Amino acid sequence: MKKHGSAFTNISGIVRRELSGYFGSPVAYVFLVIFLLMAGFLTFTVGRFFERAEASLVSFFTWHPWMYLFLVPAVGMRLWSEERRLGTLELLLTLPVTLPQVIIGKFLASWIFLAIALALTCPVWLTVNVLGSPDNGAILTAYLGSLLLAGSFLAITSMTSAMTRNQAVSFILSVMICLLLVIAGYSPVTDLLTRWTSPAVVSAVASFSVMTHFDALQRGVIDLRDVGFFLSVIGFALFGNAVIVRGLRAG
Amino acid sequence: MIRVENLVKQFGAKRAVNGVSFSVERGEVLGLLGPNGAGKSTTMRIITGFYPATSGRVTVGGHDVALDPIRTKALIGYLPESAPSYGDMTVHGFLSFIADLRGLSGSAKKAAVHGAVETCLLDSVLYQPIDTLSKGYRHRTCLAQAILHDPDVLILDEPTDGLDPNQKHAARELIRRMGETKAIVFSTHILEEVEAACTRAVIIDRGSVVANGTPAELKARSVTAGCVRVTLAGTAPEAAVAQFGQLPGAARAELLPSDNGTQGRVTVRVYPQRDEAGAIGAAGAALTVAVAQAAQAGGWQVQALSTEEGRLEDVFRSITLPDTVAR
Ligand SMILES: Nc1ncnc2c1ncn2[C@@H]1O[C@H](COP(=O)(O)OP(=O)(O)OP(=O)(O)O)[C@@H](O)[C@H]1O
Ligand SMILES: [Mg+2]
């Protein structure tokens, strides 16, 4: 009997390949620099971190949905479209690995990359600790929320990138879907909506927004329903991803 | 080892594979031939589990591809048509990645990668990014990937495409050698390859198998199979053609265009008589001797005399050409 790997070795093999793909190219470092510059700019200049004179990171986390809206699709857009364009999908899917293993491996690798980018923002956290005494538990919760938010956008991007061979198309599609998930609960938009429809409808729509669920985590409140929301978005999108890849092969 | 039964693949309105059946045992090398768009690659993609079949069944080593894909895929080494690989990786990195996913680790992995690199002569480019390799080397890298885990079954879609003549020769030798212990299916448009490496050939046209046999059997179906080819000096072409055409067992004779008339040399092909089934009778089989005797009787000097085996190309064309034209 010929050997084949366990689920764990298969997934870790794929994660390692994807990560070495990220760090083997200068694009990754450019991305990290842009990510940090943007986070810094939004926090300190637009968010007026110092003028607030608060020992908290609200002005930092508040911008994350908007930042991720573009940066996460940029990280994930090539996940599947590139495999389709190069024909390596055929190679990958004829190896003794299951489709869920490939999907999870690819997703995890990009998520780890985003987590590294997020971890590199720790100087902001150090700064508030030097300047005052913030609630570090709340900050940790906010970091968790941010990571889940990035994961949700990433899963959506992974799904859209399976729809096309073209990275640019996959980028635009995922930005659009993520934008919908953001503005459905963005207060300027919801305020506008209440003028036309009942508040019940508006809050029902808003409950599907990442904003609603990110807000609580960002303020340091861990609610399992919020965590569950992000995890279900991830699960849903990755399931959609599998359906799309299966459909590609069915012809 | 490989059993393909009534395979059908429908792409929308297009039926790419239409009831293909064949089987390949260990020790056999099956050459898959057919015009462009015949369905060779599609058949191979179904065998390797990339496409699900619309209907029909494929088993490899007793496992059904549709029901037990992982175990089947573990038995197979596959070289896809476009020989894809990850351009950002080095040859070594790429082969290590494939070895990881093949469940190899430690010294087994090292040995597997080393063996494949050696077989496919990739030593000199081992740490070069695949993007920077020439087409032939990229192709060989993907071939190395297919044989890495010493699979029982090899499915190779145009394995010699893009290789230089030396490498083509080496690849054929490799396929022939590996075929002694494995079951191999490979597709090609180069008919000499079939004679050089295959124990059996299947011709597919428009999704269906139109011929299945050993290269010798297929060649025997050629119109020139069993013909006697004779080169003479000291005769007028017309006289020779007329004389040979009347021999017992001969159907007709024709003048071949090669150096006719130059230095008084003439090459004539004599066709044996065939029955309705296309078989050559006893008189036809003895045609070579009859031709030699007739030449001697006429006082013509015989410079070369041979019986033709037939050509695969003729068979391929006669089987698939009418359809291609009709399309
Ligand atoms: N994914 C697909 N979707 C739709 N049609 C397809 C698909 N793949 C193949 N076909 C069609 O199926 C037919 C058979 O294609 P296939 O690639 O199997 O031919 P082939 O015998 O390998 O040809 P070639 O010698 O050119 O490689 C073609 O008409 C092709 O257009
Ligand atoms: Mg083909």
Side-chain angles (χ1 to χ4, degrees):
Chain A
M1 188 79 279
K2 276 276 149 36
K3 277 181 62 171
H4 50 85
S6 67
F8 177 78
T9 57
N10 288 346
I11 291 175
S12 76
I14 290 170
V15 167
R16 267 182 288 137
R17 195 208 89 71
E18 293 284 332
L19 277 180
S20 74
Y22 277 122
F23 288 106
S25 90
V27 179
Y29 301 98
V30 172
F31 173 85
L32 288 177
V33 169
I34 290 177
F35 180 87
L36 295 176
L37 283 179
M38 236 173 116
F41 172 74
L42 291 171
T43 307
F44 294 108
T45 311
V46 185
R48 312 211 294 171
F49 175 79
F50 290 113
E51 287 86 337
R52 280 168 181 247
E54 291 170 13
S56 89
L57 285 179
V58 171
S59 65
F60 170 62
F61 286 111
T62 234
W63 296 104
H64 282 198
W66 301 101
M67 210 164 76
Y68 287 151
L69 190 54
F70 296 97
L71 292 181
V72 173
V75 168
M77 62 186 180
R78 43 169 282 287
L79 274 179
W80 289 89
S81 53
E82 192 70 354
E83 302 268 358
R84 287 185 60 183
R85 197 176 61 81
L86 296 174
T88 44
L89 190 62
E90 188 168 354
L91 206 61
L92 207 50
L93 297 183
T94 51
L95 288 168
V97 294
T98 66
L99 182 55
Q101 287 166 2
V102 181
I103 288 176
I104 292 170
K106 281 175 157 292
F107 171 77
L108 280 183
S110 308
W111 209 14
I112 290 170
F113 179 73
L114 287 169
I116 291 171
L118 192 58
L120 289 177
T121 62
C122 70
V124 183
W125 171 70
L126 289 175
T127 309
V128 281
N129 270 283
V130 169
L131 295 181
S133 47
D135 179 352
N136 279 322
I139 291 179
L140 205 63
T141 308
Y143 263 114
L144 173 76
S146 177
L147 195 60
L148 286 170
L149 177 68
S152 304
F153 284 4
L154 183 64
I156 290 165
T157 308
S158 179
M159 177 179 74
T160 60
S161 87
M163 294 176 180
T164 164
R165 283 162 204 276
N166 188 325
Q167 292 190 16
V169 174
S170 122
F171 176 83
I172 291 166
L173 275 177
S174 52
V175 169
M176 284 189 332
I177 296 178
C178 294
L179 183 65
L180 271 181
L181 287 183
V182 168
I183 60 169
Y186 183 50
S187 43
V189 175
T190 47
D191 292 348
L192 206 65
L193 280 179
T194 37
R195 290 199 212 154
W196 294 308
T197 50
S198 72
V201 173
V202 173
S203 81
V205 171
S207 70
F208 284 101
S209 168
V210 290
M211 290 304 242
T212 322
H213 300 277
F214 181 60
D215 268 346
L217 288 164
Q218 184 198 334
R219 280 184 275 107
V221 185
I222 291 199
D223 186 331
L224 283 184
R225 276 171 303 177
D226 295 325
V227 175
F229 169 81
F230 286 115
L231 293 180
S232 12
V233 170
I234 292 173
F236 222 74
L238 292 185
F239 178 75
N241 191 339
V243 170
I244 291 167
V245 176
R246 287 234 157 80
L248 288 179
R249 296 190 285 159
Chain B
M1 225 33 215
I2 309 170
R3 276 203 120 64
V4 175
E5 293 163 33
N6 274 317
L7 212 58
V8 173
K9 180 68 184 177
Q10 190 88 31
F11 289 113
K14 164 107 198 156
R15 189 162 274 214
V17 176
N18 189 9
V20 165
S21 302
F22 58 81
S23 63
V24 188
E25 296 308 323
R26 200 185 279 276
E28 277 193 302
V29 179
L30 181 82
L32 214 51
L33 309 176
N36 292 135
K40 302 181 295 293
S41 298
T42 306
T43 303
M44 294 175 138
R45 286 180 176 140
I46 298 172
I47 297 175
T48 53
F50 182 57
Y51 287 157
T54 305
S55 70
R57 212 163 90 100
V58 174
T59 58
V60 175
H63 305 290
D64 189 313
V65 177
L67 303 178
D68 195 356
I70 300 302
R71 230 154 339 147
T72 331
K73 288 171 184 179
L75 290 176
I76 301 178
Y78 177 41
L79 171 67
E81 188 167 33
S82 54
S85 52
Y86 294 102
D88 55 340
M89 301 179 101
T90 63
V91 172
H92 185 265
F94 175 64
L95 294 179
S96 301
F97 166 64
I98 299 289
D100 285 340
L101 295 197
R102 290 281 181 195
L104 297 165
S105 60
S107 60
K109 172 177 162 182
K110 249 196 190 132
V113 171
H114 182 75
V117 164
E118 208 143 77
T119 309
C120 297
L121 304 171
L122 292 166
D123 267 314
S124 57
V125 296
L126 201 50
Y127 295 101
Q128 212 171 311
I130 296 175
D131 262 344
T132 66
L133 297 180
S134 71
K135 180 180 167 183
Y137 273 95
R138 275 200 304 262
H139 208 93
R140 274 146 68 178
T141 303
C142 199
L143 180 64
Q145 162 279 134
I147 62 172
L148 180 83
H149 55 303
D150 190 23
D152 289 342
V153 171
L154 273 176
I155 309 287
L156 309 171
D157 202 346
E158 303 193 22
T160 57
D161 184 43
L163 301 185
D164 68 43
N166 296 336
Q167 286 304 320
K168 272 199 170 77
H169 180 76
R172 278 173 215 163
E173 285 303 305
L174 179 66
I175 291 171
R176 214 172 41 79
R177 208 177 63 233
M178 290 191 303
E180 288 165 9
T181 54
K182 303 177 192 300
I184 302 184
V185 177
F186 81 94
S187 71
T188 180
H189 291 297
I190 304 168
L191 297 173
E192 300 93 77
E193 227 148 66
V194 176
E195 295 178 59
C198 292
T199 59
R200 212 146 49 81
V202 162
I203 303 181
I204 295 186
D205 188 24
R206 289 193 289 172
S208 305
V209 173
V210 290
N212 182 349
T214 64
E217 280 166 11
L218 291 184
K219 278 195 296 188
R221 291 170 60 169
S222 154
V223 282
T224 59
C227 287
V228 176
R229 190 187 173 107
V230 58
T231 304
L232 304 165
T235 176
E238 298 74 23
V241 168
Q243 177 66 27
F244 291 142
Q246 287 161 13
L247 287 175
R252 63 195 173 88
E254 75 180 7
L255 204 60
L256 292 185
S258 58
D259 52 77
N260 276 322
T262 54
Q263 300 139 13
R265 287 199 339 169
V266 168
T267 302
V268 178
R269 173 183 282 150
V270 189
Y271 290 84
Q273 274 171 0
R274 291 170 187 270
D275 59 20
E276 274 103 62
I280 299 170
L287 198 58
T288 316
V289 178
V291 167
Q293 285 167 349
Q296 208 169 21
W300 305 326
Q301 187 198 340
V302 177
Q303 294 192 332
L305 178 68
S306 62
T307 312
E308 294 186 40
E309 288 182 334
R311 299 190 321 148
L312 266 184
E313 194 191 328
D314 294 338
V315 181
F316 183 87
R317 283 165 59 90
S318 70
I319 292 178
T320 60
L321 200 56
D323 303 335
T324 318
V325 172
R327 235 175 286 174

